[in-house]
Amino acid sequence: MALQGTLDTFALPEVLHLLAATKKSGRLALQGPAGAGSVWIADGDVVGVAADHAPRATEPVDALFELLRLDEGSFSFEPGGEVETEAPGADVTTLLAQAGGLLDEWRDIATVVPSLDLYVSLRAELPGDEVRVSAEQWRTLVAIGAGTTVRGLGATLGLSELPVARAVRDLVELGAVDLDEPATPAELPAVD
């Protein structure tokens, strides 16, 4: 018999803790307006996580972070079946704590970068006489060039939402870039 429900009734961490405590094995499928994904469980441990809407989130903690961002939607657990990975199992509590830390960081970043559709451009004037940037920040600055959206920058750099938002937040706080309202489709540069 399958376990199923809605994420507004039972949050993902509650469902995962239940499956871990009862040493279940199978696939937990999630579906929401922002995306979909799966968590594979073997004897109560997480052995695989995929966030279909975030293909760059390849590590289990990153994919689980993406799934934790699904506030609405549904879930269903199908016991048994083949687990689609040979990775060693991870403790649910540990993995949730790591992904929860990323979720907390995401909420903090969102106070500076509230949307990936905001237009990011280099500032004409720096806040001081000099600004020190790391090699990674320089790569991001070069990719910003004449301007792009946060989302377009992520595509250019091959970064998922959290890392690109983190990079932009750091450059905003450094005083090297500005964020403006979302660009209209006609203003957006083409992204390969």
Side-chain angles (χ1 to χ4, degrees), residues 7-37:
L7 294 171
D8 60 328
T9 303
F10 296 104
L12 178 56
E14 295 170 338
V15 176
L16 289 174
H17 281 299
L18 173 66
L19 296 172
T22 56
K23 301 286 188 191
K24 297 294 183 189
S25 294
R27 176 178 170 253
L28 178 65
L30 298 115
Q31 182 69 45

Short mmCIF file of all heavy atoms in Angstrom, two decimals, residues 7-37:
data_model
loop_
_atom_site.label_atom_id
_atom_site.label_comp_id
_atom_site.label_asym_id
_atom_site.label_seq_id
_atom_site.Cartn_x
_atom_site.Cartn_y
_atom_site.Cartn_z
N LEU A 7 1.99 18.24 0.61
CA LEU A 7 3.10 18.85 1.34
C LEU A 7 2.64 19.94 2.30
O LEU A 7 3.37 20.27 3.23
CB LEU A 7 4.13 19.41 0.35
CG LEU A 7 4.85 18.34 -0.47
CD1 LEU A 7 5.69 18.99 -1.57
CD2 LEU A 7 5.71 17.46 0.41
N ASP A 8 1.45 20.48 2.11
CA ASP A 8 0.96 21.47 3.07
C ASP A 8 0.41 20.79 4.32
O ASP A 8 0.33 21.40 5.38
CB ASP A 8 -0.07 22.41 2.45
CG ASP A 8 -1.30 21.70 1.92
OD1 ASP A 8 -1.18 20.55 1.47
OD2 ASP A 8 -2.39 22.31 1.96
N THR A 9 0.08 19.49 4.23
CA THR A 9 -0.39 18.73 5.38
C THR A 9 0.78 18.06 6.11
O THR A 9 0.88 18.11 7.33
CB THR A 9 -1.40 17.65 4.94
OG1 THR A 9 -2.48 18.29 4.24
CG2 THR A 9 -1.95 16.90 6.13
N PHE A 10 1.67 17.44 5.34
CA PHE A 10 2.86 16.77 5.87
C PHE A 10 4.07 17.29 5.11
O PHE A 10 4.23 16.99 3.94
CB PHE A 10 2.77 15.25 5.73
CG PHE A 10 1.67 14.63 6.52
CD1 PHE A 10 0.50 14.21 5.89
CD2 PHE A 10 1.78 14.47 7.89
CE1 PHE A 10 -0.53 13.65 6.62
CE2 PHE A 10 0.76 13.92 8.63
CZ PHE A 10 -0.40 13.50 7.99
N ALA A 11 4.89 18.06 5.78
CA ALA A 11 6.09 18.61 5.14
C ALA A 11 7.07 17.48 4.83
O ALA A 11 7.08 16.44 5.48
CB ALA A 11 6.74 19.64 6.06
N LEU A 12 7.90 17.72 3.83
CA LEU A 12 8.86 16.71 3.40
C LEU A 12 9.72 16.17 4.54
O LEU A 12 9.89 14.94 4.65
CB LEU A 12 9.73 17.26 2.27
CG LEU A 12 10.82 16.34 1.72
CD1 LEU A 12 10.25 15.00 1.25
CD2 LEU A 12 11.57 17.03 0.60
N PRO A 13 10.25 17.00 5.43
CA PRO A 13 11.05 16.44 6.53
C PRO A 13 10.26 15.45 7.40
O PRO A 13 10.79 14.42 7.80
CB PRO A 13 11.47 17.67 7.35
CG PRO A 13 11.49 18.77 6.35
CD PRO A 13 10.33 18.47 5.43
N GLU A 14 8.99 15.74 7.65
CA GLU A 14 8.15 14.83 8.45
C GLU A 14 7.99 13.48 7.76
O GLU A 14 8.07 12.43 8.39
CB GLU A 14 6.77 15.44 8.70
CG GLU A 14 6.79 16.69 9.55
CD GLU A 14 5.44 17.40 9.56
OE1 GLU A 14 4.63 17.20 8.63
OE2 GLU A 14 5.20 18.18 10.50
N VAL A 15 7.76 13.51 6.45
CA VAL A 15 7.58 12.28 5.68
C VAL A 15 8.88 11.47 5.70
O VAL A 15 8.86 10.25 5.93
CB VAL A 15 7.14 12.58 4.23
CG1 VAL A 15 7.05 11.30 3.41
CG2 VAL A 15 5.80 13.31 4.22
N LEU A 16 10.00 12.14 5.49
CA LEU A 16 11.29 11.43 5.47
C LEU A 16 11.61 10.84 6.84
O LEU A 16 12.12 9.71 6.93
CB LEU A 16 12.40 12.36 5.00
CG LEU A 16 12.38 12.72 3.52
CD1 LEU A 16 13.44 13.75 3.19
CD2 LEU A 16 12.54 11.47 2.65
N HIS A 17 11.33 11.58 7.91
CA HIS A 17 11.57 11.04 9.26
C HIS A 17 10.70 9.81 9.52
O HIS A 17 11.17 8.84 10.13
CB HIS A 17 11.32 12.11 10.33
CG HIS A 17 12.44 13.09 10.48
ND1 HIS A 17 13.71 12.73 10.85
CD2 HIS A 17 12.48 14.44 10.29
CE1 HIS A 17 14.49 13.80 10.89
NE2 HIS A 17 13.76 14.85 10.55
N LEU A 18 9.45 9.83 9.06
CA LEU A 18 8.57 8.67 9.22
C LEU A 18 9.12 7.46 8.47
O LEU A 18 9.17 6.36 9.02
CB LEU A 18 7.16 9.01 8.72
CG LEU A 18 6.17 7.84 8.67
CD1 LEU A 18 5.86 7.35 10.09
CD2 LEU A 18 4.89 8.26 7.95
N LEU A 19 9.54 7.66 7.24
CA LEU A 19 10.09 6.56 6.44
C LEU A 19 11.38 6.02 7.05
O LEU A 19 11.61 4.80 7.04
CB LEU A 19 10.33 7.02 5.00
CG LEU A 19 9.07 7.41 4.21
CD1 LEU A 19 9.45 8.03 2.88
CD2 LEU A 19 8.16 6.21 4.02
N ALA A 20 12.20 6.90 7.60
CA ALA A 20 13.44 6.46 8.25
C ALA A 20 13.15 5.69 9.52
O ALA A 20 13.75 4.64 9.77
CB ALA A 20 14.33 7.67 8.55
N ALA A 21 12.23 6.20 10.33
CA ALA A 21 11.92 5.56 11.62
C ALA A 21 11.32 4.17 11.43
O ALA A 21 11.53 3.28 12.26
CB ALA A 21 10.96 6.44 12.42
N THR A 22 10.61 3.97 10.34
CA THR A 22 9.97 2.67 10.07
C THR A 22 10.81 1.79 9.15
O THR A 22 10.35 0.74 8.70
CB THR A 22 8.56 2.88 9.50
OG1 THR A 22 8.64 3.70 8.32
CG2 THR A 22 7.64 3.52 10.53
N LYS A 23 12.04 2.25 8.83
CA LYS A 23 13.01 1.49 8.03
C LYS A 23 12.44 1.05 6.68
O LYS A 23 12.67 -0.06 6.21
CB LYS A 23 13.52 0.25 8.80
CG LYS A 23 14.18 0.56 10.11
CD LYS A 23 15.54 1.13 9.88
CE LYS A 23 16.27 1.26 11.22
NZ LYS A 23 17.47 2.03 11.10
N LYS A 24 11.71 1.95 6.03
CA LYS A 24 11.09 1.65 4.73
C LYS A 24 12.12 1.66 3.62
O LYS A 24 13.20 2.26 3.72
CB LYS A 24 9.99 2.66 4.41
CG LYS A 24 8.84 2.64 5.38
CD LYS A 24 8.09 1.33 5.31
CE LYS A 24 6.89 1.36 6.23
NZ LYS A 24 6.26 0.08 6.37
N SER A 25 11.76 1.01 2.51
CA SER A 25 12.54 1.01 1.28
C SER A 25 11.59 1.28 0.13
O SER A 25 10.49 0.72 0.09
CB SER A 25 13.23 -0.34 1.05
OG SER A 25 14.21 -0.57 2.03
N GLY A 26 12.01 2.13 -0.79
CA GLY A 26 11.18 2.46 -1.94
C GLY A 26 11.49 3.84 -2.46
O GLY A 26 12.53 4.43 -2.15
N ARG A 27 10.54 4.38 -3.22
CA ARG A 27 10.72 5.70 -3.86
C ARG A 27 9.64 6.66 -3.39
O ARG A 27 8.45 6.36 -3.50
CB ARG A 27 10.64 5.56 -5.36
CG ARG A 27 10.72 6.88 -6.10
CD ARG A 27 10.68 6.66 -7.63
NE ARG A 27 10.52 7.92 -8.30
CZ ARG A 27 9.40 8.33 -8.89
NH1 ARG A 27 8.33 7.56 -8.90
NH2 ARG A 27 9.35 9.49 -9.50
N LEU A 28 10.08 7.82 -2.89
CA LEU A 28 9.18 8.91 -2.53
C LEU A 28 9.18 9.88 -3.71
O LEU A 28 10.21 10.46 -4.03
CB LEU A 28 9.64 9.62 -1.25
CG LEU A 28 8.81 10.81 -0.80
CD1 LEU A 28 7.40 10.37 -0.40
CD2 LEU A 28 9.50 11.53 0.36
N ALA A 29 8.03 10.01 -4.36
CA ALA A 29 7.89 10.93 -5.50
C ALA A 29 7.19 12.20 -5.04
O ALA A 29 6.20 12.13 -4.31
CB ALA A 29 7.10 10.26 -6.62
N LEU A 30 7.72 13.34 -5.46
CA LEU A 30 7.14 14.64 -5.11
C LEU A 30 6.78 15.39 -6.38
O LEU A 30 7.53 15.34 -7.36
CB LEU A 30 8.15 15.48 -4.30
CG LEU A 30 8.53 14.84 -2.98
CD1 LEU A 30 9.99 14.46 -2.98
CD2 LEU A 30 8.20 15.76 -1.86
N GLN A 31 5.65 16.08 -6.32
CA GLN A 31 5.20 16.87 -7.47
C GLN A 31 4.61 18.16 -6.95
O GLN A 31 3.76 18.15 -6.08
CB GLN A 31 4.12 16.10 -8.25
CG GLN A 31 3.61 16.80 -9.47
CD GLN A 31 4.65 16.90 -10.57
OE1 GLN A 31 5.34 15.93 -10.87
NE2 GLN A 31 4.81 18.08 -11.15
N GLY A 32 5.10 19.29 -7.47
CA GLY A 32 4.59 20.59 -7.06
C GLY A 32 4.60 21.56 -8.22
O GLY A 32 5.17 21.25 -9.28
N PRO A 33 4.01 22.74 -8.05
CA PRO A 33 3.99 23.71 -9.13
C PRO A 33 5.39 24.16 -9.56
O PRO A 33 5.59 24.50 -10.72
CB PRO A 33 3.21 24.89 -8.56
CG PRO A 33 2.65 24.46 -7.26
CD PRO A 33 3.31 23.19 -6.86
N ALA A 34 6.33 24.15 -8.64
CA ALA A 34 7.70 24.60 -8.97
C ALA A 34 8.57 23.48 -9.51
O ALA A 34 9.68 23.73 -9.95
CB ALA A 34 8.35 25.21 -7.74
N GLY A 35 8.11 22.23 -9.46
CA GLY A 35 8.92 21.13 -9.97
C GLY A 35 8.56 19.80 -9.37
O GLY A 35 7.54 19.66 -8.67
N ALA A 36 9.40 18.83 -9.66
CA ALA A 36 9.17 17.46 -9.21
C ALA A 36 10.49 16.81 -8.88
O ALA A 36 11.56 17.29 -9.25
CB ALA A 36 8.45 16.66 -10.30
N GLY A 37 10.41 15.68 -8.16
CA GLY A 37 11.63 14.96 -7.84
C GLY A 37 11.33 13.67 -7.10
O GLY A 37 10.17 13.32 -6.88
#
